[in-house]
Structure formats: structure tokens, C-alpha cells
Amino acid sequence: MPSPSTPLRLAVLGSGRGTNLQSILDAIDQGTLAAQVVCVISDVPDALILERARRHHIPAFHISAAPFKSKLEGPAETAYIRTLKEHGADTIALAGFMRIIKTGLLAAFPGRILNIHPALLPSFPGAQSWKQALDHGAKITGCTVHLVDAGTDTGPIIIQRAVPVLADDTPESLHARIQEQEHLAYPEALRLFATTRIQIEGRRVRLLPPS
Ligand code: GRF
């Protein structure tokens, strides 16, 4: 595994627009994140995230996750792992990847898979968390970057950013403001991941200076 001074060899997996990928690429371009995005993979053939990657001359692949609807397992999981290894990825950033990660991928990249979730976990795990927060009447929500474990949105938390819920918010307006914070949180969490030693004590992530 890379030492804290080595740039991350990052693979980004997503199913949608790829605005978080964009924020990561911008941070790399601005010199605030020591990383290279070595490949982007999507389970959705026409996902904008693939287009964004290609615009940046990053190898970008659609790999079907069929026959499953909401998880990555079986031959599809094997194909993802093969592509990730072929491109020399050492860290995986899930950025709107709408599938549950299973043990094969977790074992292939132990402790090196991150996810961004659009709520302050453990509140509102699962889909459309911004709508869940609004429907629940929460006054504050936000976003969380966490390590991925075998559960859904349950892994140890690296960083969180809060977003107030406004009286006239719609699901769309709230999600848009959460995304503004995501675009700060994900590059920051990856920077911490790249430059510190991560020690996990129970559920708590401690970020220590490199040894
Ligand atoms: C983000 O809100 C992320 O938190 C959620 O899916 C969305 C992905 O957005 N998991 P994008 O594709 O990065 O624009």
C-alpha cells in the first residue's frame, strides 16, 4: 500500500452526473490534492460521469452490473476488480455509485474504499437522503465522507459538513446546497486520506501525522 507521501492512484465509480468527480479533478489541477485519477467506471452506459472523464483523457468504462439491480457482485464484480487492478488503482472513491459494494471488492481494496453520502450519517442512510431529511423536518443535514464497510452507509466517518435546511427548501434546492458542500468535502477527505495515517478505534477515525 502507498505511503502517505505517495500520490493516490484513484479510481472513481459513479452512476450519475459526476460533479464529485469534477471536484476531485479540480482539486488535483489546483495542486491541493496529490492524486491521479487512473480510471472511471460506471454501471450506467450513458452516465455523464463517463463523458466528464473522457474530456479529461481519463480511461472511462461502462461495465454492466447485471443481472443485479442494486448490488455489485458475481462476474460483474470480478470485471470491475480486473479493470481497477489493470489500471493500477490503489484507492477507490465511490461518487454517486448506486450499488451496494460486496465482499469481493472490499477484500480487493481493504480499507481503501471511500464513499460520499448526502446526509449527516448515521441519519438518513440509503437513497434520496436530502428528501428524507426534508420529510423528517430536520433543521440541519449535510454530507459525510466515510470508509466503506459491508453495511450500507455504515463505515467509519472521515469528514462531515453541515447544511441548514431552509423553510422554503424543495428536495432539489436542498440537494443542490448539499452538493456544494460535497464538492469541498470529498477532495478534503481524500487529501486527509493521502497525507495522514488513518487509525480506526472502534467507530472513530483518528487522523495521525505520517510516521
Ligand atoms: C451525490 O449527492 C452523492 O452524495 C450521492 O449521489 C450524488 C452523486 O452526484 N451518493 P454526482 O454524480 O457526483 O454529481
Side-chain angles (χ1 to χ4, degrees), residues 120-198:
L120 294 177
L121 291 170
S123 291
F124 312 124
Q128 295 205 312
S129 311
W130 56 90
K131 189 168 181 309
Q132 292 187 51
L134 206 54
D135 291 348
H136 194 81
K139 299 296 186 195
I140 297 177
T141 183
C143 63
T144 303
V145 181
H146 63 94
L147 293 166
V148 176
D149 64 11
T152 302
D153 303 326
T154 51
I157 292 168
I158 299 174
I159 205 174
Q160 294 186 302
R161 292 181 76 94
V163 174
V165 180
L166 305 180
D168 56 355
D169 259 330
T170 62
E172 293 72 28
S173 66
L174 181 56
H175 189 208
R177 283 205 323 290
I178 292 172
Q179 285 227 281
E180 285 173 15
Q181 297 306 312
E182 290 184 338
H183 300 157
L184 301 173
Y186 220 164
E188 173 66 3
L190 287 164
R191 193 182 63 74
L192 291 170
F193 191 77
T195 56
T196 61
R197 272 185 306 130
I198 294 213

Side-chain angles (χ1 to χ4, degrees), residues 10-201:
L10 200 58
V12 180
L13 272 51
S15 308
R17 294 189 306 140
T19 62
N20 280 287
L21 167 68
Q22 190 65 55
S23 73
I24 292 166
L25 293 172
D26 291 348
I28 294 170
D29 285 349
Q30 287 157 14
T32 54
L33 173 61
Q36 180 191 350
V37 177
V38 295
C39 67
V40 170
I41 308 179
S42 180
D43 57 330
V44 176
D46 56 355
L48 189 54
I49 193 170
L50 293 175
E51 173 62 28
R52 266 183 217 274
R54 289 182 187 126
R55 258 187 254 147
H56 283 77
H57 310 290
I58 295 165
F61 307 96
H62 163 243
I63 304 180
S64 166
F68 303 113
K69 285 204 164 29
S70 58
K71 63 180 177 179
L72 181 64
E73 209 172 21
E77 182 189 56
T78 307
Y80 273 69
I81 294 170
R82 191 186 317 117
T83 301
L84 293 164
K85 296 282 184 192
E86 274 170 9
H87 288 81
D90 60 38
T91 305
I92 299 176
L94 305 180
F97 188 61
M98 300 304 287
R99 289 183 178 267
I100 295 164
I101 300 303
K102 306 300 279 189
T103 48
L105 188 59
L106 288 170
F109 294 90
R112 300 200 66 90
I113 306 179
L114 289 77
N115 181 45
I116 186 150
H117 182 77
L120 294 177
L121 291 170
S123 291
F124 312 124
Q128 295 205 312
S129 311
W130 56 90
K131 189 168 181 309
Q132 292 187 51
L134 206 54
D135 291 348
H136 194 81
K139 299 296 186 195
I140 297 177
T141 183
C143 63
T144 303
V145 181
H146 63 94
L147 293 166
V148 176
D149 64 11
T152 302
D153 303 326
T154 51
I157 292 168
I158 299 174
I159 205 174
Q160 294 186 302
R161 292 181 76 94
V163 174
V165 180
L166 305 180
D168 56 355
D169 259 330
T170 62
E172 293 72 28
S173 66
L174 181 56
H175 189 208
R177 283 205 323 290
I178 292 172
Q179 285 227 281
E180 285 173 15
Q181 297 306 312
E182 290 184 338
H183 300 157
L184 301 173
Y186 220 164
E188 173 66 3
L190 287 164
R191 193 182 63 74
L192 291 170
F193 191 77
T195 56
T196 61
R197 272 185 306 130
I198 294 213
Q199 198 176 80
I200 298 172
E201 292 172 15

